Amino acid sequence: MGKKIFSGVQPTGNLHLGNYLGAIKNFVKLNNDTANECIFCVVDLHAITVKQDPKELKKNIRETVATFIASGIDPKKSIIFNQSGVAAHSEGAWILSCVARMGWLNRMTQFKEKAGKDKEKASIGLYSYPILMAADILLYDATHVPVGDDQKQHLELCRDIAQKFNNDFGVVDFLKVPEPLIQKEFSRIMSLKDGSKKMSKSELSDLSRINLTDDKDQIINKIKKAKTDPLSMPKSINELEGRPEAQNLLGIFANLSNLTLETSIERFASNNFSDFKKELSALLVNKIVPISEEIKKLLKDQSYLDSTLLEGVEKADKIASKKIKNIKEIVGF
Ligand code: AMP
Ligand code: TRP
């Protein structure tokens, strides 16, 4: 049976290789299976949990849509829309925030990371962010949610919220409890400058990530400068122990070429890092440059991107407004 897929990406600029390998590549695979119904959301309400420049935000929303399409998501097959266009997300988030418990949210590690040392100064939205994410998913009765490894905890919270709502109101199976779809291997791509840190949009150094808009020279240069260690290439998985940078680069190679880590290690066992890096950059250039060029082309056609979003909003709103109507009735409004 086909799956009902929902996932979201924040329009906060610099979509990178981590987003692609951790999430978007999987979106494309799910989109291509005709049995699935897929909804991919540009989560602009989530983006404003940290300060955004309004002009930049608008640009980033279009860029995220362009990235989805350039990566291979077909807007005729899947719904692509922006979250703020469908009012039910905000309404649902409020109602679910009265179901979720403080204790549950207090355990969320992403909030702790993003809020940093001065939690008092973080926005309330940053704290309640996972509840909005739960509303996103539950409004569409999604059965499966493809995300990178860092979103696992938020999905568990979403499942808890759905179950508590169903229990509290005695509505068996009304909110569907979704399954996460997280790749088993290489589900977390690390920074090119520090193998212990996640590759991220917000990292100051652009050399820490491959952006999906990078050109050939940028990709080659970033891989050339990527951190490695003084040891030679590993000959077995055991030899990767304590070598996060080598592990990350080999993981990227394996993921992009659909090989196992073992096979990738074997292939480069007798090489030095610079030979491996040459092959890795060639592979990256092959995969990323066509996407990068297509993004740039699509960005020139703003009216196409805007009308794609508008069509998506209309389709999504039809589904979500029905669900929120039922939620309100159940709650007693
Ligand atoms: P975000 O940009 O935070 O909205 O993330 C969009 C998607 O990309 C989510 O499914 C994340 O889990 C995934 N993602 C973000 N960064 C990484 C990373 N470094 N490695 C793997 N997946 C990632
Ligand atoms: N929180 C997710 C992230 O930062 C984005 C997101 C928002 C999402 N709503 C969602 C992902 C619903 C999956 C389903 O990556």
Side-chain angles (χ1 to χ4, degrees), residues 87-100:
H89 291 255
S90 308
E91 283 186 278
W94 177 258
I95 295 172
L96 295 181
S97 74
C98 301
V99 174

Side-chain angles (χ1 to χ4, degrees), residues 6-10 43 46 129 133 136-137 145 147 151 154:
F6 186 100
S7 195
V9 173
Q10 299 192 66
V43 290
H46 277 110
Y129 174 117
M133 178 164 163
D136 297 342
I137 298 166
V145 182
V147 280
Q151 297 301 312
H154 290 162

Side-chain angles (χ1 to χ4, degrees), residues 58-99:
K58 197 160 239 161
K59 181 176 143 266
N60 287 333
I61 292 172
R62 289 194 181 109
E63 197 164 310
T64 309
V65 181
T67 305
F68 282 171
I69 300 173
S71 305
I73 297 172
D74 174 7
K76 293 271 173 269
K77 160 86 177 51
S78 297
I79 299 177
I80 297 178
F81 79 108
N82 64 317
Q83 194 185 25
S84 64
V86 177
H89 291 255
S90 308
E91 283 186 278
W94 177 258
I95 295 172
L96 295 181
S97 74
C98 301
V99 174

Side-chain angles (χ1 to χ4, degrees), residues 44 51 263 291 293:
D44 47 9
K51 201 167 182 344
T263 319
I291 295 177
E293 282 173 358

Side-chain angles (χ1 to χ4, degrees), residues 8-10 16 18-19 22-23 147-151 187-189 198-199 201:
V9 173
Q10 299 192 66
H16 52 71
N19 296 121
V147 280
D149 172 70
D150 59 338
Q151 297 301 312
S187 56
R188 190 179 286 243
I189 304 298
K198 196 172 78 159
M199 185 178 284
K201 293 168 182 171

Side-chain angles (χ1 to χ4, degrees), residues 279-320:
E279 282 218 34
L280 177 62
S281 349
L283 185 61
L284 277 163
V285 165
N286 227 329
K287 293 273 176 182
I288 303 301
V289 170
I291 295 177
S292 162
E293 282 173 358
E294 188 61 22
I295 293 175
K296 285 172 196 143
K297 205 170 100 198
L298 285 164
L299 282 175
K300 288 194 188 122
D301 194 350
Q302 279 190 11
S303 65
Y304 168 70
L305 296 173
D306 292 349
S307 67
T308 301
L309 271 183
L310 225 60
E311 272 172 41
V313 161
E314 256 177 48
K315 290 186 205 158
D317 191 56
K318 272 206 186 107
I319 306 170

